[in-house]
Amino acid sequence: MHVEGYIEVTGGRVWYQIFNKNSVATPVIILHGGPGSSSYSLEGLQALEAERPVILYDQLGCGRSDRPKDTSLWQLERFVEELAQIRDALNLEEIHILGHSWGTTLAAAYCLTKPKGVKSVIFSSPCLSAPLWEQDQIENLKTLPKEIQETIKHCEETGMTDSEEFKAAIQEFNKRFVCRVEKDPDPEWLQKGAGYRNPEIYNIMWGPSEFSVKGNLRSFDCTARLNEINCPTLFTCGRYDEATPESTEYFSRLVPNGNLHVYENSAHMAYFEEREEFLQVAGDFLRAIDSN
């Protein structure tokens, strides 16, 4: 049984759903990737409701939330404020946070505002330094066939990131570093997910592609302040992740209570590629925190 609804935040209304609302255990709130994607592909994480309330929401501008036209809203600080407003509206005095990809950027920035009641954070496939992420993707690109590398470079330089050849080259990158499930998931499922995205937000905040950060997040780097996050943290990534095991391990060493787990058969979507293990690792971590 779950409830869903809308919450007024700065700029419009966001859509949320809560599973196992009446449980007395500490809830976990899920922060999806993007910026400008949605909670849609993360809905499998509702299985964590076996032990606690699970809150999923679509950040403003994407998914089932309002899509205001005011582009000045697409700033990290406003998304941080949005998370605080959601906590207030739902009376979430104590929470665990599970952020994925850009959701980890948001989780870290939120934690650095020193909010009360954050019991733990799971940084899944973390992006905590835009310059380091960009550097890692340049290295990842070098492992692809020469012609794919050249197509991506050429399309980026000439502003042809909307072209079919660029999309085909990105497909090859994605097969290695984003999702390694050989048999594509149900195309209808993928199509629906694509409809929930808002590419404009991604473009304004990140840029035209993964490989060059040209948006307003381009200088984001919170590594120098990670030592201020003193609740228990779990850093996870896939062995073949865009969020590389090396960078993920580096981040985990910068927090006082950092733990690390690498999913050996995954790229960037371990919650989908190795769903059972992902749920077990996350569930065990949250349970251990609650029992202390």
Side-chain angles (χ1 to χ4, degrees):
M1 156 98 180
H2 78 283
V3 297
E4 57 181 78
Y6 287 90
I7 292 168
E8 285 287 342
V9 299
T10 303
R13 300 173 316 149
V14 300
W15 176 87
Y16 73 94
Q17 49 184 348
I18 305 181
F19 299 87
N20 194 6
K21 185 177 191 289
N22 297 325
S23 165
V24 294
T26 305
V28 59
I29 189 164
I30 314 283
L31 309 182
H32 67 69
S37 292
S38 76
S39 64
Y40 177 72
S41 75
L42 291 157
E43 284 182 352
L45 297 184
Q46 72 189 53
L48 293 167
E49 71 172 325
E51 294 184 30
R52 69 190 62 255
V54 176
I55 298 139
L56 286 151
Y57 74 96
D58 291 336
Q59 295 155 23
L60 190 69
C62 63
R64 287 145 282 199
S65 294
D66 288 350
R67 298 193 178 208
K69 296 279 178 265
D70 178 2
T71 56
S72 71
L73 294 165
W74 313 134
Q75 301 282 342
L76 174 59
E77 294 70 25
R78 197 213 56 83
F79 285 101
V80 167
E81 187 185 351
E82 173 181 285
L83 176 52
Q85 290 166 332
I86 289 166
R87 268 191 83 179
D88 283 349
L90 298 177
N91 298 314
L92 302 172
E93 284 182 26
E94 283 200 320
I95 54 164
H96 299 288
I97 296 174
L98 192 165
H100 178 72
S101 197
W102 136 260
T104 67
T105 309
L106 174 54
Y110 175 71
C111 287
L112 291 171
T113 66
K114 308 294 165 68
K116 289 194 175 112
V118 178
K119 281 178 81 173
S120 79
V121 186
I122 298 176
F123 291 99
S124 165
S125 299
C127 176
L128 302 178
S129 163
L132 182 54
W133 181 280
E134 189 173 54
Q135 209 178 302
D136 284 344
Q137 299 337 303
I138 290 165
E139 291 307 309
N140 284 337
L141 268 179
K142 288 178 186 169
T143 68
L144 294 174
K146 258 289 183 258
E147 64 274 18
I148 303 275
Q149 292 182 48
E150 280 160 14
T151 300
I152 289 172
K153 189 168 182 279
H154 173 72
C155 290
E156 290 235 301
E157 283 170 356
T158 55
M160 288 170 57
T161 49
D162 281 340
S163 67
E164 287 310 312
E165 56 179 324
F166 184 75
K167 285 175 192 163
I170 291 301
Q171 218 33 51
E172 288 308 307
F173 179 87
N174 290 349
K175 277 184 202 165
R176 295 204 192 187
F177 301 107
V178 179
C179 184
R180 292 170 78 90
V181 174
E182 280 181 36
K183 185 181 180 306
D184 274 342
D186 173 14
E188 211 174 301
W189 182 82
L190 277 180
Q191 245 171 331
K192 196 175 176 194
Y196 283 135
R197 287 204 187 102
N198 185 342
E200 183 187 41
I201 299 175
Y202 181 85
N203 210 24
I204 289 170
M205 295 186 71
W206 192 258
S209 78
E210 293 292 277
F211 315 112
S212 42
V213 194
K214 295 180 172 156
N216 59 38
L217 286 172
R218 65 187 169 276
S219 57
F220 175 81
D221 185 338
C222 68
T223 48
R225 293 189 63 197
L226 285 179
N227 62 343
E228 296 173 39
I229 300 177
N230 45 29
C231 64
T233 54
L234 172 63
F235 289 80
T236 73
C237 68
R239 177 60 63 196
Y240 309 99
D241 207 323
E242 294 175 279
T244 64
E246 294 74 22
S247 292
T248 303
E249 185 186 355
Y250 166 62
F251 298 142
S252 76
R253 290 200 308 267
L254 295 176
V255 294
N257 292 298
N259 301 275
L260 176 70
H261 184 87
V262 178
Y263 298 99
E264 292 299 337
N265 299 303
S266 291
H268 194 56
M269 294 173 71
Y271 60 86
F272 178 78
E273 297 165 278
E274 292 181 81
R275 183 172 177 265
E276 293 310 314
E277 189 180 338
F278 191 98
L279 288 169
Q280 188 180 346
V281 168
D284 289 352
F285 173 75
L286 296 174
R287 196 180 316 114
I289 305 299
D290 284 349
S291 63
N292 280 342

